[in-house]
Amino acid sequence: MASSALSVCSSDLSYGSRVCLPGSCDSYTGSSWQVDDCPESCCEPPCCAPSCCTPAPRLTLLCAPKNEYLLAVVAEERDSLLLGLRYSPTQLHFLFLSEDGAGAWQTRVSFRSPALVDGQWHVLVLAVSEGSFSLTTDCGPAVDIMADMPFPATLSVRGARFFIGSRRRTKGRFTGLVRQLVLLPGSDATRRLCPCVNPELAVLSIPAILRGLTGKPEDNEVLKYPYETDMKVTLGPRPPCTKAEDAQFWFDASRKGLYLCVGSEWVSVLAAKERLDYVEEHQSLFTNSETLGIEVFVIPETGLFVATANRKTTSAIYKWTDGKFASYQDIPTHQAQSWRHFTIGKKASSRVFLAVANFEPNEKGQEFSVIYKWSQRRLRFTPYQRVPTHSARDWEAFEVAGEHFLAVANHREGDNHNIDSVIYKWNPGTRLFEANQTIATSGAYDWEFFTVGPYAFLAVANAFNGTSTRLQSNLYVRLGGTFQLFQSFLTFGAADWEVFHIGERVFLAVANSHRYDVEMRMQNDSYVINSVIYELNVTAQTFVRFQEIRTCSALDWEFFSVGEDYFLVVANSFDGNTFSVNSIIYRWQGYEGFVAVHSLPTFGCRDWEAFRTAAGSYLVYSSAKEPLSRVLKLRTG
């Protein structure tokens, strides 16, 4: 059973024709009204306020009113009406597509039309269930029709479009006003959706039925119609979406959203625009030691995880449980700097990996980083491959033309910072990563991979060459099977690259950590410097400087979005005097670029990650100066 409710206003001044009011334009020509040549603005339906709903003297319609549609669902390709509510001077028609093995045809259920052309608001409630159809006008007695042809149990709307006030843009246009349309499955809405005969114009709110009613009939409530069933709009916290709830609605009052259960997921049908209101602390995540990097990832059918790269000999993995991260697995590491999650293979049989960048050698003096593989049997990560590295700072996993790669940022070998970083390629035969290309780097701190159209790019953040942090950090493009130099950027202790897209625009942000040169004495203000955002100029085929932002030894950028808004958060770690420095959230303001909107107290902030769960959006940051990371919740309004 389903019902729909409409608040409509029709005026006999404009119904069914284009009639201009005298005095509003030069359309009056003596004793007749000129219809065809009126400006559009003069021919709009008049308002429904009492002051303008009184018929003008001697004004008559020049042509008979046509059929007009209050709503329609139309199959676009064949221009076929699947569902419609059509109004004519004498009748209200409910139309729907019927099909069987012999073919398809249109079924029409017609009600004698009540007097609606009076310049007043009216409430129409149409309830439908199989062969039973009921129309209620202005909360009056219901008119019931039992039709020979029942409403179809299923009606496919694939490739169809929903029109309000017309049949298809210019066809069957309704010349009155439609204030509110409510489509409600599971119950006759008459008693709840028309509280009075003349609803006020200002009350454009969500109907009470969607706000606070469970839909269960009271003990003494008599179900008036044979199609009355339990209400299928659920309120409160997110309910399960299973086969039992399929095709039912859930209204989330906190987020002002209406969702439909499809399969096993709640699909947004109507939602208010989500906007970031404020940020609050959600969890204090105590770690084994100071945390230099974090990685948030999802393992299908298992859950959401975060891996922390800890300074001491043990790093950890935490699993999102009951709305917070809980300890899940400890992994031995050697001053771990970062983690990188990636998968290889098709979704059904994909292998899940986690690579750690170790900065120090192990107890035997061996220097290597480790790739771990997820064991579906043990539900744990197990060692898979050791890779020789030199004070590794970062891993970057990426795929090009179906081939999988891992790039390691080797920071130094002994006291030598000018060494090669290595790109490894997955060998499907041996199922191991093998060295594919070396790239000369200087104190490499971070790799960032991205694509623009058919081109694959890889950016390296060079932080220190042994004497200075004033270096060229490079961007490489993959041509002929190898990465080749594309562009160089002047950076100062570059610690991170972050690529992001806003619409069709491509941006690349670098986090500059500090200025240093052995020939000059270090100053406290050497840490308070500009980090830079670059934008790709497609015509010039180069990244150009877009915006500079003052930062305090920035070590990371993280791009995220909330609703239709875009944000960047920077990890400010040190201002020359203290590690207690505020990290800043910047919001995209179009022409103004990124503007600071939130200041977040942090201590030795090293890394940011954004993630989303069914409960909302979050940020988590790691501290390189204390064994405590924090999870922050983004409150939206």
Side-chain angles (χ1 to χ4, degrees), residues 234-267:
T234 305
L235 299 170
R238 177 183 290 259
C241 178
T242 64
K243 187 176 181 180
E245 290 81 22
D246 192 40
Q248 296 188 20
F249 284 98
W250 163 55
F251 181 68
D252 186 351
S254 62
R255 301 172 67 178
K256 301 181 180 66
L258 184 65
Y259 300 84
L260 178 67
C261 179
V262 179
S264 61
E265 296 183 2
W266 288 105
V267 178

mmCIF file of all heavy atoms in Angstrom, residues 234-267:
data_model
loop_
_atom_site.group_PDB
_atom_site.id
_atom_site.type_symbol
_atom_site.label_atom_id
_atom_site.label_comp_id
_atom_site.label_asym_id
_atom_site.label_seq_id
_atom_site.Cartn_x
_atom_site.Cartn_y
_atom_site.Cartn_z
ATOM 1 N N THR A 234 10.905 4.131 9.463
ATOM 2 C CA THR A 234 11.531 3.928 10.763
ATOM 3 C C THR A 234 12.223 5.203 11.205
ATOM 4 O O THR A 234 12.835 5.898 10.390
ATOM 5 C CB THR A 234 12.556 2.781 10.689
ATOM 6 O OG1 THR A 234 11.897 1.620 10.181
ATOM 7 C CG2 THR A 234 13.138 2.476 12.057
ATOM 8 N N LEU A 235 12.136 5.508 12.476
ATOM 9 C CA LEU A 235 12.784 6.683 13.047
ATOM 10 C C LEU A 235 13.876 6.242 14.000
ATOM 11 O O LEU A 235 14.003 5.066 14.327
ATOM 12 C CB LEU A 235 11.754 7.561 13.767
ATOM 13 C CG LEU A 235 10.632 8.112 12.887
ATOM 14 C CD1 LEU A 235 9.557 8.737 13.741
ATOM 15 C CD2 LEU A 235 11.196 9.140 11.915
ATOM 16 N N GLY A 236 14.664 7.217 14.495
ATOM 17 C CA GLY A 236 15.690 6.916 15.468
ATOM 18 C C GLY A 236 17.019 6.580 14.828
ATOM 19 O O GLY A 236 17.290 6.932 13.682
ATOM 20 N N PRO A 237 17.903 5.867 15.582
ATOM 21 C CA PRO A 237 19.225 5.509 15.048
ATOM 22 C C PRO A 237 19.108 4.565 13.871
ATOM 23 O O PRO A 237 18.074 3.933 13.651
ATOM 24 C CB PRO A 237 19.915 4.846 16.248
ATOM 25 C CG PRO A 237 18.793 4.359 17.113
ATOM 26 C CD PRO A 237 17.698 5.368 16.949
ATOM 27 N N ARG A 238 20.212 4.441 13.120
ATOM 28 C CA ARG A 238 20.204 3.627 11.905
ATOM 29 C C ARG A 238 19.791 2.192 12.216
ATOM 30 O O ARG A 238 20.464 1.490 12.979
ATOM 31 C CB ARG A 238 21.589 3.644 11.271
ATOM 32 C CG ARG A 238 21.711 2.763 10.015
ATOM 33 C CD ARG A 238 23.117 2.766 9.494
ATOM 34 N NE ARG A 238 23.457 4.044 8.935
ATOM 35 C CZ ARG A 238 23.469 4.336 7.644
ATOM 36 N NH1 ARG A 238 23.146 3.405 6.775
ATOM 37 N NH2 ARG A 238 23.816 5.540 7.233
ATOM 38 N N PRO A 239 18.689 1.729 11.620
ATOM 39 C CA PRO A 239 18.251 0.347 11.839
ATOM 40 C C PRO A 239 18.997 -0.591 10.896
ATOM 41 O O PRO A 239 19.644 -0.141 9.943
ATOM 42 C CB PRO A 239 16.763 0.403 11.508
ATOM 43 C CG PRO A 239 16.673 1.482 10.471
ATOM 44 C CD PRO A 239 17.750 2.476 10.780
ATOM 45 N N PRO A 240 18.888 -1.911 11.114
ATOM 46 C CA PRO A 240 19.511 -2.837 10.153
ATOM 47 C C PRO A 240 18.773 -2.780 8.817
ATOM 48 O O PRO A 240 17.585 -2.469 8.757
ATOM 49 C CB PRO A 240 19.333 -4.203 10.828
ATOM 50 C CG PRO A 240 18.159 -4.031 11.736
ATOM 51 C CD PRO A 240 18.237 -2.614 12.228
ATOM 52 N N CYS A 241 19.504 -3.052 7.737
ATOM 53 C CA CYS A 241 18.904 -3.108 6.405
ATOM 54 C C CYS A 241 19.097 -4.524 5.893
ATOM 55 O O CYS A 241 20.151 -4.875 5.366
ATOM 56 C CB CYS A 241 19.555 -2.073 5.475
ATOM 57 S SG CYS A 241 18.926 -2.113 3.784
ATOM 58 N N THR A 242 18.077 -5.342 6.098
ATOM 59 C CA THR A 242 18.125 -6.737 5.697
ATOM 60 C C THR A 242 16.953 -7.028 4.775
ATOM 61 O O THR A 242 16.214 -6.122 4.379
ATOM 62 C CB THR A 242 18.073 -7.661 6.928
ATOM 63 O OG1 THR A 242 16.804 -7.487 7.576
ATOM 64 C CG2 THR A 242 19.190 -7.336 7.910
ATOM 65 N N LYS A 243 16.758 -8.289 4.439
ATOM 66 C CA LYS A 243 15.659 -8.666 3.561
ATOM 67 C C LYS A 243 14.321 -8.286 4.172
ATOM 68 O O LYS A 243 13.376 -7.910 3.462
ATOM 69 C CB LYS A 243 15.716 -10.163 3.294
ATOM 70 C CG LYS A 243 14.710 -10.651 2.255
ATOM 71 C CD LYS A 243 14.888 -12.131 1.962
ATOM 72 C CE LYS A 243 13.885 -12.598 0.908
ATOM 73 N NZ LYS A 243 14.062 -14.046 0.613
ATOM 74 N N ALA A 244 14.233 -8.321 5.505
ATOM 75 C CA ALA A 244 12.977 -7.989 6.172
ATOM 76 C C ALA A 244 12.627 -6.511 6.026
ATOM 77 O O ALA A 244 11.454 -6.135 6.017
ATOM 78 C CB ALA A 244 13.059 -8.365 7.645
ATOM 79 N N GLU A 245 13.669 -5.652 5.918
ATOM 80 C CA GLU A 245 13.425 -4.208 5.802
ATOM 81 C C GLU A 245 13.461 -3.721 4.360
ATOM 82 O O GLU A 245 13.372 -2.515 4.121
ATOM 83 C CB GLU A 245 14.465 -3.417 6.614
ATOM 84 C CG GLU A 245 14.352 -3.528 8.119
ATOM 85 C CD GLU A 245 14.988 -4.797 8.657
ATOM 86 O OE1 GLU A 245 15.858 -5.371 7.946
ATOM 87 O OE2 GLU A 245 14.607 -5.220 9.752
ATOM 88 N N ASP A 246 13.625 -4.625 3.411
ATOM 89 C CA ASP A 246 13.761 -4.221 2.015
ATOM 90 C C ASP A 246 12.572 -3.363 1.574
ATOM 91 O O ASP A 246 11.414 -3.671 1.875
ATOM 92 C CB ASP A 246 13.866 -5.454 1.124
ATOM 93 C CG ASP A 246 14.309 -5.103 -0.286
ATOM 94 O OD1 ASP A 246 15.198 -4.242 -0.421
ATOM 95 O OD2 ASP A 246 13.762 -5.675 -1.244
ATOM 96 N N ALA A 247 12.879 -2.250 0.875
ATOM 97 C CA ALA A 247 11.882 -1.309 0.345
ATOM 98 C C ALA A 247 11.209 -0.492 1.443
ATOM 99 O O ALA A 247 10.216 0.188 1.183
ATOM 100 C CB ALA A 247 10.827 -2.026 -0.484
ATOM 101 N N GLN A 248 11.763 -0.502 2.656
ATOM 102 C CA GLN A 248 11.244 0.350 3.717
ATOM 103 C C GLN A 248 12.103 1.591 3.852
ATOM 104 O O GLN A 248 13.269 1.613 3.456
ATOM 105 C CB GLN A 248 11.198 -0.406 5.041
ATOM 106 C CG GLN A 248 10.236 -1.585 5.033
ATOM 107 C CD GLN A 248 10.066 -2.190 6.407
ATOM 108 O OE1 GLN A 248 10.340 -1.553 7.411
ATOM 109 N NE2 GLN A 248 9.600 -3.427 6.452
ATOM 110 N N PHE A 249 11.521 2.643 4.434
ATOM 111 C CA PHE A 249 12.210 3.916 4.600
ATOM 112 C C PHE A 249 12.704 4.077 6.033
ATOM 113 O O PHE A 249 12.119 3.539 6.980
ATOM 114 C CB PHE A 249 11.282 5.079 4.260
ATOM 115 C CG PHE A 249 11.057 5.271 2.793
ATOM 116 C CD1 PHE A 249 9.923 4.766 2.188
ATOM 117 C CD2 PHE A 249 11.975 5.960 2.011
ATOM 118 C CE1 PHE A 249 9.706 4.938 0.828
ATOM 119 C CE2 PHE A 249 11.774 6.131 0.659
ATOM 120 C CZ PHE A 249 10.635 5.624 0.066
ATOM 121 N N TRP A 250 13.789 4.831 6.154
ATOM 122 C CA TRP A 250 14.295 5.242 7.471
ATOM 123 C C TRP A 250 14.548 6.745 7.418
ATOM 124 O O TRP A 250 15.215 7.242 6.513
ATOM 125 C CB TRP A 250 15.580 4.489 7.807
ATOM 126 C CG TRP A 250 16.368 5.122 8.920
ATOM 127 C CD1 TRP A 250 15.936 5.429 10.181
ATOM 128 C CD2 TRP A 250 17.742 5.540 8.876
ATOM 129 N NE1 TRP A 250 16.929 6.007 10.917
ATOM 130 C CE2 TRP A 250 18.047 6.086 10.143
ATOM 131 C CE3 TRP A 250 18.728 5.499 7.889
ATOM 132 C CZ2 TRP A 250 19.317 6.598 10.437
ATOM 133 C CZ3 TRP A 250 19.979 6.004 8.189
ATOM 134 C CH2 TRP A 250 20.266 6.551 9.448
ATOM 135 N N PHE A 251 13.982 7.448 8.380
ATOM 136 C CA PHE A 251 14.186 8.896 8.452
ATOM 137 C C PHE A 251 15.153 9.212 9.580
ATOM 138 O O PHE A 251 14.891 8.912 10.749
ATOM 139 C CB PHE A 251 12.863 9.631 8.689
ATOM 140 C CG PHE A 251 13.029 11.127 8.750
ATOM 141 C CD1 PHE A 251 13.381 11.844 7.620
ATOM 142 C CD2 PHE A 251 12.849 11.819 9.940
ATOM 143 C CE1 PHE A 251 13.551 13.208 7.667
ATOM 144 C CE2 PHE A 251 13.011 13.188 9.998
ATOM 145 C CZ PHE A 251 13.360 13.888 8.866
ATOM 146 N N ASP A 252 16.297 9.789 9.233
ATOM 147 C CA ASP A 252 17.317 10.175 10.199
ATOM 148 C C ASP A 252 17.090 11.627 10.584
ATOM 149 O O ASP A 252 17.455 12.541 9.836
ATOM 150 C CB ASP A 252 18.713 9.976 9.595
ATOM 151 C CG ASP A 252 19.824 10.217 10.606
ATOM 152 O OD1 ASP A 252 19.520 10.696 11.712
ATOM 153 O OD2 ASP A 252 20.990 9.929 10.294
ATOM 154 N N ALA A 253 16.463 11.850 11.743
ATOM 155 C CA ALA A 253 16.116 13.205 12.151
ATOM 156 C C ALA A 253 17.347 14.059 12.401
ATOM 157 O O ALA A 253 17.344 15.265 12.130
ATOM 158 C CB ALA A 253 15.242 13.162 13.405
ATOM 159 N N SER A 254 18.442 13.454 12.910
ATOM 160 C CA SER A 254 19.632 14.234 13.224
ATOM 161 C C SER A 254 20.290 14.794 11.972
ATOM 162 O O SER A 254 20.822 15.899 11.972
ATOM 163 C CB SER A 254 20.638 13.382 14.004
ATOM 164 O OG SER A 254 21.074 12.278 13.212
ATOM 165 N N ARG A 255 20.255 14.023 10.867
ATOM 166 C CA ARG A 255 20.869 14.466 9.618
ATOM 167 C C ARG A 255 19.847 14.933 8.596
ATOM 168 O O ARG A 255 20.195 15.280 7.475
ATOM 169 C CB ARG A 255 21.708 13.332 9.025
ATOM 170 C CG ARG A 255 22.799 12.858 9.966
ATOM 171 C CD ARG A 255 23.506 11.625 9.458
ATOM 172 N NE ARG A 255 24.282 11.876 8.259
ATOM 173 C CZ ARG A 255 25.025 10.960 7.650
ATOM 174 N NH1 ARG A 255 25.071 9.743 8.140
ATOM 175 N NH2 ARG A 255 25.695 11.249 6.559
ATOM 176 N N LYS A 256 18.552 14.919 9.006
ATOM 177 C CA LYS A 256 17.465 15.381 8.145
ATOM 178 C C LYS A 256 17.500 14.670 6.793
ATOM 179 O O LYS A 256 17.427 15.279 5.734
ATOM 180 C CB LYS A 256 17.531 16.902 7.956
ATOM 181 C CG LYS A 256 17.436 17.694 9.251
ATOM 182 C CD LYS A 256 17.491 19.180 8.977
ATOM 183 C CE LYS A 256 17.393 19.978 10.264
ATOM 184 N NZ LYS A 256 18.559 19.775 11.148
ATOM 185 N N GLY A 257 17.618 13.345 6.850
ATOM 186 C CA GLY A 257 17.723 12.564 5.616
ATOM 187 C C GLY A 257 16.715 11.432 5.587
ATOM 188 O O GLY A 257 16.388 10.838 6.617
ATOM 189 N N LEU A 258 16.216 11.141 4.402
ATOM 190 C CA LEU A 258 15.309 10.027 4.182
ATOM 191 C C LEU A 258 16.050 8.977 3.364
ATOM 192 O O LEU A 258 16.615 9.293 2.307
ATOM 193 C CB LEU A 258 14.052 10.495 3.447
ATOM 194 C CG LEU A 258 12.954 9.441 3.237
ATOM 195 C CD1 LEU A 258 12.383 8.993 4.586
ATOM 196 C CD2 LEU A 258 11.844 9.995 2.352
ATOM 197 N N TYR A 259 16.038 7.721 3.851
ATOM 198 C CA TYR A 259 16.810 6.656 3.225
ATOM 199 C C TYR A 259 15.900 5.468 2.910
ATOM 200 O O TYR A 259 14.933 5.207 3.632
ATOM 201 C CB TYR A 259 17.956 6.199 4.142
ATOM 202 C CG TYR A 259 18.917 7.310 4.478
ATOM 203 C CD1 TYR A 259 18.648 8.191 5.525
ATOM 204 C CD2 TYR A 259 20.090 7.495 3.752
ATOM 205 C CE1 TYR A 259 19.528 9.222 5.836
ATOM 206 C CE2 TYR A 259 20.972 8.515 4.065
ATOM 207 C CZ TYR A 259 20.680 9.380 5.097
ATOM 208 O OH TYR A 259 21.547 10.403 5.402
ATOM 209 N N LEU A 260 16.238 4.749 1.855
ATOM 210 C CA LEU A 260 15.486 3.580 1.419
ATOM 211 C C LEU A 260 16.375 2.354 1.520
ATOM 212 O O LEU A 260 17.537 2.373 1.079
ATOM 213 C CB LEU A 260 15.001 3.757 -0.023
ATOM 214 C CG LEU A 260 14.241 2.584 -0.654
ATOM 215 C CD1 LEU A 260 12.898 2.378 0.043
ATOM 216 C CD2 LEU A 260 14.032 2.834 -2.148
ATOM 217 N N CYS A 261 15.847 1.279 2.111
ATOM 218 C CA CYS A 261 16.616 0.030 2.236
ATOM 219 C C CYS A 261 16.593 -0.697 0.895
ATOM 220 O O CYS A 261 15.533 -1.110 0.424
ATOM 221 C CB CYS A 261 16.022 -0.838 3.339
ATOM 222 S SG CYS A 261 16.886 -2.417 3.542
ATOM 223 N N VAL A 262 17.755 -0.846 0.275
ATOM 224 C CA VAL A 262 17.889 -1.547 -0.998
ATOM 225 C C VAL A 262 18.947 -2.631 -0.818
ATOM 226 O O VAL A 262 20.129 -2.332 -0.624
ATOM 227 C CB VAL A 262 18.288 -0.589 -2.140
ATOM 228 C CG1 VAL A 262 18.450 -1.360 -3.433
ATOM 229 C CG2 VAL A 262 17.260 0.524 -2.295
ATOM 230 N N GLY A 263 18.517 -3.890 -0.878
ATOM 231 C CA GLY A 263 19.457 -4.982 -0.655
ATOM 232 C C GLY A 263 19.895 -4.997 0.790
ATOM 233 O O GLY A 263 19.129 -5.320 1.690
ATOM 234 N N SER A 264 21.139 -4.592 1.049
ATOM 235 C CA SER A 264 21.658 -4.533 2.419
ATOM 236 C C SER A 264 22.161 -3.144 2.778
ATOM 237 O O SER A 264 22.829 -2.964 3.788
ATOM 238 C CB SER A 264 22.800 -5.542 2.576
ATOM 239 O OG SER A 264 23.866 -5.233 1.671
ATOM 240 N N GLU A 265 21.839 -2.131 1.952
ATOM 241 C CA GLU A 265 22.343 -0.781 2.188
ATOM 242 C C GLU A 265 21.208 0.222 2.229
ATOM 243 O O GLU A 265 20.202 0.086 1.517
ATOM 244 C CB GLU A 265 23.335 -0.370 1.091
ATOM 245 C CG GLU A 265 24.606 -1.210 1.060
ATOM 246 C CD GLU A 265 25.572 -0.710 0.010
ATOM 247 O OE1 GLU A 265 25.253 0.297 -0.650
ATOM 248 O OE2 GLU A 265 26.641 -1.310 -0.143
ATOM 249 N N TRP A 266 21.372 1.252 3.076
ATOM 250 C CA TRP A 266 20.446 2.374 3.109
ATOM 251 C C TRP A 266 20.886 3.385 2.057
ATOM 252 O O TRP A 266 21.992 3.907 2.118
ATOM 253 C CB TRP A 266 20.426 3.027 4.487
ATOM 254 C CG TRP A 266 19.744 2.188 5.532
ATOM 255 C CD1 TRP A 266 20.344 1.466 6.524
ATOM 256 C CD2 TRP A 266 18.339 1.966 5.667
ATOM 257 N NE1 TRP A 266 19.412 0.808 7.273
ATOM 258 C CE2 TRP A 266 18.156 1.107 6.778
ATOM 259 C CE3 TRP A 266 17.214 2.422 4.978
ATOM 260 C CZ2 TRP A 266 16.899 0.690 7.197
ATOM 261 C CZ3 TRP A 266 15.962 2.003 5.396
ATOM 262 C CH2 TRP A 266 15.806 1.147 6.493
ATOM 263 N N VAL A 267 20.032 3.637 1.085
ATOM 264 C CA VAL A 267 20.336 4.546 -0.017
ATOM 265 C C VAL A 267 19.638 5.877 0.232
ATOM 266 O O VAL A 267 18.442 5.917 0.525
ATOM 267 C CB VAL A 267 19.880 3.948 -1.364
ATOM 268 C CG1 VAL A 267 20.156 4.913 -2.499
ATOM 269 C CG2 VAL A 267 20.571 2.612 -1.609
#
